[in-house]
Structures are given as structure tokens and as C-alpha cells.
Amino acid sequence: MKNRVGRLASGVIALSMAATLGLAGCSAPQGGQGASGSAAGNAEASAGAQSDAELQIFAANSLSKAMDEAQGLYTEQTGVTFADTQYKGSGELNEMLAAGTYADLEITASKGTMDAAVEKGYVDESTRTDVFTNELVIVAKQDADYQDVTLQDIAEGAYTVCVGDDSVPAGTYAAQALSTVGAYEPPADEAGKTGKDISGKGGSYVGITPVLQTSVGNVCKQAENGDVDVAIVYSSDVFRFGGVKVVGVIPDDTHKAIVYPGAVCAESAHPEEAAAFLAWCTTDPDAQKVWQKWGFDLA
């Protein structure tokens, strides 16, 4: 994880280079297996997954380009196809499931959102697994002449900033991080707490007035256009959107771990195929190259 951010901070943000770096090495699959072991296991899983099923995936916005590429690869390997995958904010994905919209698999960008999906019965808890991890970085437009921006710099008003609102997981993580330098105050029921001990929702910013956006893509665009000096986004967004460069890395211990849980939906008509795809995402060596190419690590 740290190596990836180091490359980002050095300006390695072109997708062609990202792909090359991704091919250089992959995260070890869950369970501690080596690549050859997971490949053998995956061959069996792929054989079992051969099907004419069409899977409907609900996935966090930040996964869009990586997931599209992975799904194409999975179809080549197994014959399983995918409906029009819905990429939305994690909270919106739950709202769609609550409204009765059909899906076979949900992957959110926060544990809290998946906790809610389990509590409401939208997904089968027994199939839940942590799939990906991500990291928060501070970005600016490509020609910005500043570097090494810190949370303290933002708290002191040295830079204008854009973050996601509290409907956006990246925004709640940003609020948690900013609380550690006194720039965000949590609601009364979380008074006296900061960082990973708060939700990042329902509070207010102190001493700064960030531009709030309802998607991480819009947050990135604010920085790219120079509408703000800096923005706080996922490291994967640098690969996904381009047009920005990393000017600071936010310490992991200032916010909750950024984990993407996945689970088969309770109403899925293809639960076995959905579970097989979820397992493939975390074990197949070629899938791992796709995730790393787009800035994700396996959980």
C-alpha cells in the first residue's frame, strides 16, 4: 500500500505506467496462498462457475473502471456475463436495494454501509468478505507548484479544499482525518472523539469552509479545474480520473481503515455464481493485476 502511494506521490499517475507497475507485482491473496496456489484453486472455481448466468452487480463508484475491466476478463474465463453494473455512492446502492431494485452482488466503499445492508437483510451475511482496501491522498491540478500539503496546512486555511459530503464514504473519511487537526467537529453524541473513533457524519467543519460534493468524481474535478487548491480523494481516483497529481498523503491512523466489503444479495437468483465471482476477485492472479493497475490492494 505504501509503495503504491509513494509512486503516486512521485507523479506516476499515467494509466500506461500504472499498468506496467501493476504487472510488476501483486498483493498476496487471502489465506496466505502464493500466486501459483491461488491459480490452481481459481482454475477449479472457474470451472465450477461456467454458466449462462447474467449477474447484476452493485458497486461503489470508485470501482467503475477496474470492475469493468475485471468483468470482461471474467466473462472470457467463465462465460458468465454481466448486466449494466450500477456504480453509485455506497449509501445510494443500499437505497436502491431498499426500493426493491434487483442485484446479485453488492460491493460498498465502507464497512458501515455494508453493516447497514446486513442489518436490513439486503445481503446474505454469510457471504460477506472484505475485498479491497484504499487510501486517502491530497490532490491538486497537474501544474500546481506546491507539494507536501498536510492536514494541518488545510486546517490553518493555507489552501482551499474540496471533500465529499457525508453521503460519500471518501468524504466521511476526510472528515475523520480533519477532526484530528481540529478542522472538523463531530456531532454531540461523538463529542470528545476524533479520527477513527467518529463516523465523519452529522458534524461541522471548524475554521475552514470546504466545498462539498456528492461524488468523489466531482471532488476530483474541482481540483483538476483549479476551482480549489486541493481535494481529498482516494488514491485510486488518481488512476481513475487523471488530471490531478498527489501533493500529500493522509496518515492511515487519522481515519477508519478504508475497506470495500462485498456480499451476495439476499434476493439473488444466482447466488452460487455471484459468490464464485466474488471469490475470483480475490484469488485470480490476473484479476489481482487489474485491481493493482487501477490503484487498489486486496484486503
Side-chain angles (χ1 to χ4, degrees):
M1 177 72 73
K2 292 300 182 185
N3 289 338
R4 185 185 77 228
V5 172
R7 294 197 298 270
L8 284 168
S10 300
V12 185
I13 61 177
L15 287 180
S16 60
M17 294 187 71
T20 301
L21 287 169
L23 290 171
C26 298
S27 303
Q30 292 178 337
Q33 291 180 308
S36 59
S38 62
N42 184 69
E44 297 177 4
S46 293
Q50 292 287 347
S51 170
D52 59 0
E54 181 180 68
L55 297 179
Q56 176 67 68
I57 309 298
F58 279 12
N61 270 320
S62 48
L63 286 168
S64 59
K65 291 188 177 180
M67 184 62 72
D68 281 349
E69 184 172 338
Q71 287 175 351
L73 178 62
Y74 191 70
T75 297
E76 290 178 7
Q77 290 187 8
T78 68
V80 172
T81 58
F82 297 86
D84 183 20
T85 298
Q86 297 298 300
Y87 299 110
K88 306 285 185 182
S90 297
E92 188 174 354
L93 295 177
N94 274 355
E95 290 173 1
M96 292 170 65
L97 291 174
T101 308
Y102 178 83
D104 293 294
L105 180 69
E106 181 182 42
I107 303 177
T108 69
S110 74
K111 287 188 173 183
T113 312
M114 185 58 72
D115 289 344
V118 169
E119 180 181 349
K120 298 292 186 181
Y122 305 150
V123 298
D124 178 355
E125 184 176 11
S126 69
T127 66
R128 177 176 177 169
T129 185
D130 291 340
V131 189
F132 310 111
T133 64
N134 215 325
E135 216 161 15
L136 279 187
V137 293
I138 302 169
V139 299
K141 62 182 181 179
Q142 289 280 16
D143 60 355
D145 59 0
Y146 38 88
Q147 187 59 265
D148 300 323
V149 178
T150 67
L151 288 170
Q152 190 64 47
D153 293 331
I154 295 173
E156 292 173 355
Y159 302 93
T160 57
V161 62
C162 180
V163 299
D165 65 21
D166 63 13
S167 71
V168 181
T172 62
Y173 294 127
Q176 291 165 12
L178 287 166
S179 74
T180 65
V181 290
Y184 177 87
E185 183 176 324
D189 61 348
E190 297 177 335
K193 299 178 181 179
T194 63
K196 62 182 65 177
D197 295 323
I198 66 171
S199 66
K201 297 184 177 185
S204 58
Y205 288 92
V206 180
I208 61 172
T209 307
V211 176
L212 301 179
Q213 293 290 334
T214 57
S215 76
V216 73
N218 289 340
V219 174
C220 238
K221 185 64 68 175
Q222 289 278 316
E224 179 183 0
N225 293 343
D227 296 328
V228 293
D229 297 325
V230 297
I232 298 177
V233 298
Y234 296 134
S235 58
S236 62
D237 293 323
V238 181
F239 292 94
R240 185 161 68 112
F241 296 114
V244 294
K245 67 177 183 179
V246 174
V247 295
V249 178
I250 294 180
D252 289 341
D253 62 2
T254 63
H255 56 81
K256 295 181 188 295
I258 302 173
V259 178
Y260 289 62
V264 176
C265 293
E267 300 301 320
S268 172
H270 310 288
E272 293 182 1
E273 290 88 346
F277 174 65
L278 190 60
W280 174 89
C281 287
T282 63
T283 59
D284 183 86
D286 292 327
Q288 292 171 33
K289 293 175 184 178
V290 172
W291 308 130
Q292 193 166 43
K293 168 185 171 181
W294 290 100
F296 295 94
D297 281 337
L298 291 177

